[in-house]
Amino acid sequence: MLTANAAWATDNTQKTIVTSPDGKLKVCAESGNGLKWSVNYNGTAVIEPSAVGITIGGKEVITGKASMSKVKSVDKTYDVFYAKRKEIRDSYNTVTLSFKSGAKVELRAYDGFAAYRILPGVKKDAMVDAETVELRFPSDCEAFVPYVNDNRGGERWCYSFESYYDEQCLSQMYRDSLAITPLAVTVPAVGRAVVMDAGVENYPGLMLVKGEGNSLRGQFAPYPTESEIGGYARLNLVPTKRADYIARISKGQSLPWRVVVVAKNDAEIMNSDVAQLLAPECRISDTSWIKPGKVAWDWWNNTNITGVDFKSGMNTPTYKYYIDFAAKNNLEYIIIDEGWSGGESLTDGLNPDIDLEKLIAYGQRRGVGIILWSSWRNLIGSNPQNDMTLTDAVMKRYADMGIKGFKVDFFDRDDQEVIVSAYKIAESAARHHLLLDYHGLKPSGIQRAYPNILNFEGVKGLENSKWEPRVGDGPLHNQPRYDVTIPFLRMLTGPMDYTPGAMDNARRDNFFGNNDHPMSQGTRVHQMAMYATFEAPLQMLADSPTKYEREQECTDFISRIPTMYDETVAIDGRMGEYTVVARRKGDTWYVAAMTDWTARNLTIDLSFLGEGTYEAEIFSDGVNAEKEATDYKHTKQSVKAGDKLDVHLASGGGWTALITK
């Protein structure tokens, strides 16, 4: 039922309210003295009246009293190429407010989240000087804050979007530090409120800083006007000069959505389809050529293979070995990471030890595709504003050779220039039927427009174990806690290239970072449970083929887990503590649970199963996993809908099952 109404308040401001279909969430807009929006859940304030605005060409265009130009209710379903479920329901109530300047603001109320976006209404190309995004919370709430750190070349807005979470009250936030989204706030008597943006196109991404009182303020990277090669290993394009505006917008353009996801319990967040619902529609008419799958990866394991009669490394025999491993274990792809090409070109100065044409032909005979690594700047020719001539030429050259895609690394910015470039690269890749894996950039809606982008990094994944320092009696960072935080936050925006699958696993007291022989924090089954927990249509097996062959029982299980699903059920979980999720592909269910360093006993309700009896193949932490993290137990048992499984997770542990008819 559609509910939207407007009324005049005593201070001569106009209030407009739109309510979610289930009646629990109300979004209110107050206009007259500027525009403010607020969010209420079950009668409790989540966001108190907070400013909304945009300055274009030196003028604030959202001023005066608004009129309701459009009120409607939407309830439809549609198929998506990849998401938590094959079919998504799009059900919401919406109201659009119009201002005399021609600008409009659309507000939407869904079951579970509120959103608004600005439609500037410009009649010709224009410069956005600034956008006002404010989020005022009702009290000094606790928050999970992902601060920007490790800036590239010292540039404030140049960053890989990989952050651990500082758990602190809003009042304790650092005033001089940027935070990325999603950012979670715990609102008393409500639950979680997760702040994010969505549908980002031709505009910079949203970052957050501490505002006045219990508030957050949005900030946006100014438009870059000059850049130089720099950053880590000279792989970045680092802006050296930025304009006094944040974006150049076109006639008829909408701005991205500003979103607050509201959840009474944390499992609701893992079930949310917000990222797909607020994204641009798919722009690839024929997606039949897009083939998700699993990948044997070379970089994390430093191409360390043993028992062969050649020297392993970045050479043809090594990658033939990876192809053989992938074929044997039904993996669709291998990646050849950094080092196959020249430092300044993807076509000149190629590694003479790697015969790409020979490897492509060998992979085709064995049914394994090859994906190549590239830095962003080498793919665009160090000119983000080019006409894509170089990018198209590179794409065509390697597509014609038989390469299946590119892992594009070191974007490390989300200013407007980079966002525009990311769309152009995806469009070029789609023309040449190439897959993409974006690194140094988190998803923000582009993945629905161009589903050939199968994965994104922007996550503190397994690679960080290679250089993790020890402090006192253990590692500096609590990786298992991070592992059970990102399914609620980073994964809310879309798939993530965490690169799981370590076969060398360590307890907290015996873990240490080692670049050439890396290990993971937590148990073996903690790593195995990531395959059903983390969303990644292009999913890596990060460890060495040699180690997987030594642990074939675990490898056989991992190789059977799909990367696309028909249905997802988030069963249980609490941010930073544990997760329990089930995913269905056809008639088979894949269930996984993970915990932080706290050992837990959980009960997993199998009521999601259909009728009949199923067989569950289970990997659980072994009885000695508390002191030897590689210890696991492999069992099988019959189960049916309504059964409740009592499972034990060791410290830093996991549990996973494949349930078939």
Side-chain angles (χ1 to χ4, degrees), residues 486-514:
I486 51 177
F488 305 98
L489 295 180
R490 164 60 184 82
M491 203 167 74
L492 185 63
T493 63
M496 56 187 189
D497 198 7
Y498 184 97
T499 67
M503 292 291 107
D504 284 343
N505 319 107
R507 308 295 315 145
R508 186 178 181 278
D509 60 354
N510 58 22
F511 171 89
F512 64 93
N514 188 312

Short mmCIF file of all heavy atoms in Angstrom, two decimals, residues 486-514:
data_model
loop_
_atom_site.label_atom_id
_atom_site.label_comp_id
_atom_site.label_asym_id
_atom_site.label_seq_id
_atom_site.Cartn_x
_atom_site.Cartn_y
_atom_site.Cartn_z
N ILE A 486 33.18 -8.44 7.51
CA ILE A 486 32.97 -8.03 6.11
C ILE A 486 31.72 -8.63 5.46
O ILE A 486 31.17 -7.99 4.55
CB ILE A 486 34.21 -8.32 5.26
CG1 ILE A 486 34.70 -9.76 5.42
CG2 ILE A 486 35.31 -7.32 5.57
CD1 ILE A 486 35.89 -10.11 4.52
N PRO A 487 31.20 -9.80 5.85
CA PRO A 487 29.95 -10.24 5.22
C PRO A 487 28.78 -9.29 5.48
O PRO A 487 27.83 -9.27 4.70
CB PRO A 487 29.70 -11.62 5.87
CG PRO A 487 31.06 -12.11 6.23
CD PRO A 487 31.78 -10.87 6.70
N PHE A 488 28.85 -8.52 6.55
CA PHE A 488 27.79 -7.57 6.88
C PHE A 488 28.04 -6.18 6.27
O PHE A 488 27.11 -5.41 6.11
CB PHE A 488 27.66 -7.42 8.39
CG PHE A 488 27.43 -8.70 9.13
CD1 PHE A 488 28.48 -9.37 9.73
CD2 PHE A 488 26.17 -9.26 9.21
CE1 PHE A 488 28.29 -10.56 10.41
CE2 PHE A 488 25.95 -10.46 9.89
CZ PHE A 488 27.02 -11.11 10.49
N LEU A 489 29.28 -5.87 5.98
CA LEU A 489 29.62 -4.51 5.55
C LEU A 489 30.18 -4.50 4.13
O LEU A 489 29.47 -4.17 3.19
CB LEU A 489 30.58 -3.87 6.55
CG LEU A 489 29.97 -3.65 7.94
CD1 LEU A 489 30.96 -3.02 8.89
CD2 LEU A 489 28.71 -2.79 7.85
N ARG A 490 31.44 -4.84 3.94
CA ARG A 490 32.00 -4.77 2.59
C ARG A 490 31.18 -5.56 1.58
O ARG A 490 30.93 -5.12 0.45
CB ARG A 490 33.47 -5.26 2.64
CG ARG A 490 34.09 -5.61 1.32
CD ARG A 490 34.13 -4.45 0.34
NE ARG A 490 34.65 -4.89 -0.95
CZ ARG A 490 33.94 -5.51 -1.88
NH1 ARG A 490 32.66 -5.76 -1.69
NH2 ARG A 490 34.51 -5.88 -3.01
N MET A 491 30.71 -6.74 1.95
CA MET A 491 29.97 -7.60 1.02
C MET A 491 28.59 -7.06 0.70
O MET A 491 27.95 -7.48 -0.27
CB MET A 491 29.89 -9.02 1.57
CG MET A 491 29.65 -10.09 0.52
SD MET A 491 29.94 -11.76 1.17
CE MET A 491 28.49 -11.98 2.20
N LEU A 492 28.11 -6.12 1.51
CA LEU A 492 26.81 -5.51 1.25
C LEU A 492 26.79 -4.79 -0.09
O LEU A 492 25.76 -4.70 -0.75
CB LEU A 492 26.47 -4.53 2.38
CG LEU A 492 25.09 -3.87 2.36
CD1 LEU A 492 23.98 -4.91 2.49
CD2 LEU A 492 25.00 -2.85 3.50
N THR A 493 27.95 -4.27 -0.53
CA THR A 493 28.01 -3.51 -1.78
C THR A 493 28.21 -4.39 -3.00
O THR A 493 28.04 -3.93 -4.13
CB THR A 493 29.13 -2.47 -1.74
OG1 THR A 493 30.40 -3.13 -1.61
CG2 THR A 493 28.95 -1.52 -0.57
N GLY A 494 28.61 -5.66 -2.80
CA GLY A 494 28.82 -6.54 -3.95
C GLY A 494 29.94 -7.52 -3.71
O GLY A 494 30.51 -7.59 -2.62
N PRO A 495 30.29 -8.31 -4.73
CA PRO A 495 31.28 -9.39 -4.57
C PRO A 495 32.65 -8.86 -4.18
O PRO A 495 32.98 -7.70 -4.42
CB PRO A 495 31.32 -10.06 -5.95
CG PRO A 495 30.81 -9.03 -6.89
CD PRO A 495 29.80 -8.24 -6.12
N MET A 496 33.44 -9.75 -3.55
CA MET A 496 34.75 -9.31 -3.06
C MET A 496 35.80 -10.38 -3.28
O MET A 496 35.59 -11.55 -3.01
CB MET A 496 34.68 -8.91 -1.59
CG MET A 496 34.15 -9.95 -0.67
SD MET A 496 33.92 -9.29 0.99
CE MET A 496 33.57 -10.82 1.87
N ASP A 497 36.93 -9.94 -3.79
CA ASP A 497 38.03 -10.84 -4.12
C ASP A 497 38.95 -10.99 -2.91
O ASP A 497 40.05 -10.44 -2.86
CB ASP A 497 38.80 -10.29 -5.32
CG ASP A 497 39.65 -11.34 -5.99
OD1 ASP A 497 39.54 -12.53 -5.60
OD2 ASP A 497 40.42 -11.01 -6.91
N TYR A 498 38.48 -11.76 -1.93
CA TYR A 498 39.24 -12.01 -0.71
C TYR A 498 40.40 -12.97 -0.97
O TYR A 498 41.39 -12.96 -0.25
CB TYR A 498 38.30 -12.58 0.35
CG TYR A 498 38.93 -12.81 1.71
CD1 TYR A 498 38.79 -11.86 2.72
CD2 TYR A 498 39.65 -13.96 1.99
CE1 TYR A 498 39.36 -12.07 3.97
CE2 TYR A 498 40.22 -14.17 3.23
CZ TYR A 498 40.07 -13.22 4.22
OH TYR A 498 40.64 -13.42 5.46
N THR A 499 40.27 -13.82 -1.97
CA THR A 499 41.25 -14.86 -2.33
C THR A 499 41.50 -15.85 -1.19
O THR A 499 42.59 -15.94 -0.65
CB THR A 499 42.59 -14.26 -2.81
OG1 THR A 499 43.26 -13.58 -1.73
CG2 THR A 499 42.38 -13.29 -3.96
N PRO A 500 40.50 -16.65 -0.83
CA PRO A 500 40.65 -17.60 0.28
C PRO A 500 41.35 -18.88 -0.14
O PRO A 500 41.78 -19.04 -1.28
CB PRO A 500 39.19 -17.88 0.66
CG PRO A 500 38.46 -17.78 -0.65
CD PRO A 500 39.15 -16.67 -1.40
N GLY A 501 41.44 -19.81 0.81
CA GLY A 501 41.88 -21.15 0.48
C GLY A 501 43.24 -21.56 1.01
O GLY A 501 43.85 -22.50 0.48
N ALA A 502 43.75 -20.90 2.05
CA ALA A 502 45.06 -21.26 2.59
C ALA A 502 45.03 -22.67 3.17
O ALA A 502 44.12 -23.03 3.92
CB ALA A 502 45.48 -20.27 3.66
N MET A 503 46.04 -23.44 2.85
CA MET A 503 46.18 -24.79 3.40
C MET A 503 47.16 -24.84 4.58
O MET A 503 47.19 -25.83 5.30
CB MET A 503 46.63 -25.75 2.31
CG MET A 503 45.59 -26.01 1.23
SD MET A 503 44.13 -26.96 1.78
CE MET A 503 42.87 -25.68 1.82
N ASP A 504 47.98 -23.80 4.75
CA ASP A 504 48.80 -23.66 5.95
C ASP A 504 48.07 -22.72 6.88
O ASP A 504 47.90 -21.54 6.58
CB ASP A 504 50.18 -23.10 5.62
CG ASP A 504 51.10 -24.13 4.98
OD1 ASP A 504 50.79 -25.34 5.11
OD2 ASP A 504 52.10 -23.74 4.36
N ASN A 505 47.61 -23.23 8.02
CA ASN A 505 46.74 -22.48 8.93
C ASN A 505 47.36 -22.43 10.31
O ASN A 505 48.03 -23.37 10.73
CB ASN A 505 45.36 -23.15 8.99
CG ASN A 505 44.89 -23.61 7.61
OD1 ASN A 505 44.89 -24.81 7.34
ND2 ASN A 505 44.55 -22.68 6.74
N ALA A 506 47.14 -21.32 11.01
CA ALA A 506 47.86 -21.12 12.27
C ALA A 506 46.95 -20.57 13.36
O ALA A 506 46.01 -19.81 13.11
CB ALA A 506 49.03 -20.17 12.06
N ARG A 507 47.25 -20.98 14.58
CA ARG A 507 46.64 -20.38 15.76
C ARG A 507 47.23 -18.99 15.94
O ARG A 507 48.27 -18.63 15.35
CB ARG A 507 46.96 -21.23 17.01
CG ARG A 507 46.64 -22.69 16.88
CD ARG A 507 45.15 -22.93 16.72
NE ARG A 507 44.39 -22.13 17.65
CZ ARG A 507 43.19 -21.59 17.36
NH1 ARG A 507 42.66 -21.77 16.18
NH2 ARG A 507 42.55 -20.89 18.27
N ARG A 508 46.64 -18.23 16.81
CA ARG A 508 47.10 -16.86 17.04
C ARG A 508 48.54 -16.85 17.56
O ARG A 508 49.35 -16.01 17.17
CB ARG A 508 46.17 -16.15 18.03
CG ARG A 508 46.49 -14.69 18.23
CD ARG A 508 45.51 -14.02 19.19
NE ARG A 508 45.83 -12.61 19.33
CZ ARG A 508 46.76 -12.13 20.13
NH1 ARG A 508 47.48 -12.97 20.88
NH2 ARG A 508 47.01 -10.83 20.20
N ASP A 509 48.87 -17.80 18.44
CA ASP A 509 50.19 -17.76 19.08
C ASP A 509 51.32 -18.26 18.18
O ASP A 509 52.49 -18.02 18.47
CB ASP A 509 50.18 -18.55 20.40
CG ASP A 509 49.81 -20.02 20.20
OD1 ASP A 509 49.47 -20.40 19.07
OD2 ASP A 509 49.88 -20.78 21.18
N ASN A 510 50.99 -18.97 17.08
CA ASN A 510 52.08 -19.44 16.22
C ASN A 510 52.00 -18.90 14.79
O ASN A 510 52.69 -19.38 13.90
CB ASN A 510 52.17 -20.97 16.22
CG ASN A 510 50.87 -21.63 15.76
OD1 ASN A 510 50.05 -21.02 15.09
ND2 ASN A 510 50.70 -22.89 16.14
N PHE A 511 51.16 -17.90 14.60
CA PHE A 511 51.09 -17.25 13.28
C PHE A 511 52.22 -16.24 13.13
O PHE A 511 52.58 -15.54 14.07
CB PHE A 511 49.75 -16.53 13.11
CG PHE A 511 49.71 -15.68 11.86
CD1 PHE A 511 49.29 -16.21 10.65
CD2 PHE A 511 50.13 -14.35 11.89
CE1 PHE A 511 49.29 -15.43 9.51
CE2 PHE A 511 50.13 -13.57 10.74
CZ PHE A 511 49.71 -14.12 9.55
N PHE A 512 52.77 -16.15 11.93
CA PHE A 512 53.66 -15.04 11.60
C PHE A 512 53.59 -14.79 10.10
O PHE A 512 53.34 -15.69 9.30
CB PHE A 512 55.11 -15.33 12.02
CG PHE A 512 55.76 -16.50 11.31
CD1 PHE A 512 56.52 -16.31 10.16
CD2 PHE A 512 55.60 -17.78 11.80
CE1 PHE A 512 57.10 -17.38 9.51
CE2 PHE A 512 56.20 -18.86 11.15
CZ PHE A 512 56.95 -18.66 10.00
N GLY A 513 53.76 -13.52 9.72
CA GLY A 513 53.74 -13.15 8.32
C GLY A 513 54.96 -13.66 7.59
O GLY A 513 56.08 -13.58 8.11
N ASN A 514 54.75 -14.19 6.39
CA ASN A 514 55.86 -14.71 5.60
C ASN A 514 55.48 -14.57 4.13
O ASN A 514 54.55 -15.22 3.65
CB ASN A 514 56.11 -16.18 5.95
CG ASN A 514 57.37 -16.73 5.30
OD1 ASN A 514 57.59 -16.56 4.12
ND2 ASN A 514 58.17 -17.42 6.09
#
